[in-house]
Amino acid sequence: NAGVMQNPRHLVRRRGQEARLRCSPMKGHSHVYWYRQLPEEGLKFMVYLQKENIIDESGMPKERFSAEFPKEGPSILRIQQVVRGDSAAYFCASSPQGTGSYEQYFGPGTRLTVT
Amino acid sequence: RKEVEQDPGPFNVPEGATVAFNCTYSNSASQSFFWYRQDCRKEPKLLMSVYSSGNEDGRFTAQLNRASQYISLLIRDSKLSDSATYLCVVNNQAGTALIFGKGTTLSVSS
């Protein structure tokens, strides 16, 4: 049973470019979460999605960041006009049902470097 | 007050030692509690869920005190492979996200 898959694993973008991060949840999981880990910091929640719905985006920056989880295909985290401060590890997690007592399982992450 | 607070360490212990990590959380409405482990530059991996009655998995024991809003993790007979950062995690009030502590670093030496 494949775990959570993320790609690319490493992404380098120049300031002002767009970054697209992809996440495929574990088989049987319909809930996806995105977290960001800045250097030397803890993980911070960004957004929680189910298929075709954003359930909680309280952790998303107000500008330049968006997320989707279409009916078909992976979840996408999109960062427009990247800045150096966006350099971080972005982790996707999935769970079989919404977080309540359900554990979340994490993918290997995408390390974004903005030059 | 931070939502989840942990002693950052590092804890440097010899193989075979017993080590305890503590964590406090601020939101009394939190219902789910976990310990995750994160190796350098890797993803967090679930170590164990934490239940009110306390729970044990091999060399690992977790305790929860809801009244004090305090969570602990005890590792017995430490192995070199236990060297990692241990993350205390609770869910948010809405139950839609996990809130992570910054982690406690453990280094086990031979």
Side-chain angles (χ1 to χ4, degrees):
Chain A
N1 187 13
V4 178
M5 298 175 68
Q6 290 187 250
N7 66 82
R9 297 288 301 274
H10 299 273
L11 182 62
V12 180
R13 285 287 177 265
R14 291 198 192 95
R15 279 179 298 170
Q17 289 185 319
E18 178 178 288
R20 279 183 181 244
L21 288 60
R22 288 176 290 277
C23 169
S24 296
M26 285 178 71
K27 188 176 180 181
H29 287 192
S30 57
H31 298 253
V32 165
Y33 312 80
W34 286 93
Y35 293 83
R36 176 166 66 175
Q37 187 170 32
L38 294 167
E40 309 303 323
E41 294 291 321
L43 277 84
K44 299 292 185 190
F45 167 73
M46 299 181 77
V47 62
Y48 161 38
L49 309 106
Q50 295 177 25
K51 285 283 186 183
E52 300 184 282
N53 285 304
I54 296 174
I55 307 301
D56 182 351
E57 56 181 348
S58 59
M60 287 280 269
K62 298 296 181 205
E63 298 176 346
R64 302 188 297 108
F65 285 72
S66 62
E68 62 176 2
F69 189 15
K71 188 176 180 182
E72 301 291 337
S75 175
I76 306 287
L77 180 67
R78 181 182 178 206
I79 311 172
Q80 295 177 289
Q81 298 175 314
V82 296
V83 301
R84 287 220 172 101
D86 297 333
S87 295
Y90 291 83
F91 291 101
C92 168
S94 72
S95 68
Q97 299 187 41
T99 282
S101 58
Y102 295 98
E103 299 96 350
Q104 295 181 14
Y105 297 90
F106 284 79
T110 294
R111 296 197 175 275
L112 172 66
T113 302
V114 179
T115 61
Chain B
R1 183 183 174 186
K2 290 182 182 174
E3 292 181 283
V4 179
E5 289 204 67
Q6 296 182 249
D7 181 343
F11 283 60
N12 299 304
V13 303
E15 277 186 289
T18 295
V19 61
F21 303 139
N22 304 317
C23 165
T24 57
Y25 61 96
S26 61
N27 189 348
S28 59
S30 292
Q31 294 294 320
S32 300
F33 310 90
F34 310 95
W35 284 100
Y36 278 75
R37 166 196 171 128
Q38 186 174 30
D39 293 277
C40 188
R41 301 183 68 78
K42 296 286 183 70
E43 74 272 24
K45 292 188 175 173
L46 179 65
L47 185 64
M48 57 199 306
S49 301
V50 187
Y51 305 114
S52 296
S53 55
N55 48 303
E56 185 174 312
D57 183 1
R59 299 181 293 108
F60 299 84
T61 300
Q63 298 276 358
L64 168 65
N65 184 322
R66 285 185 184 268
S68 303
Q69 295 178 208
Y70 171 92
I71 308 167
S72 66
L73 177 68
L74 184 76
I75 305 176
R76 290 182 298 277
D77 188 23
S78 299
K79 312 290 185 193
L80 294 175
S81 58
D82 294 334
S83 297
T85 298
Y86 289 83
L87 307 174
C88 179
V89 184
V90 307
N91 70 329
N92 67 350
Q93 188 160 356
T96 55
L98 297 180
I99 304 169
F100 284 78
K102 290 185 71 172
T104 299
T105 300
L106 172 66
S107 178
V108 181
S109 56
S110 57

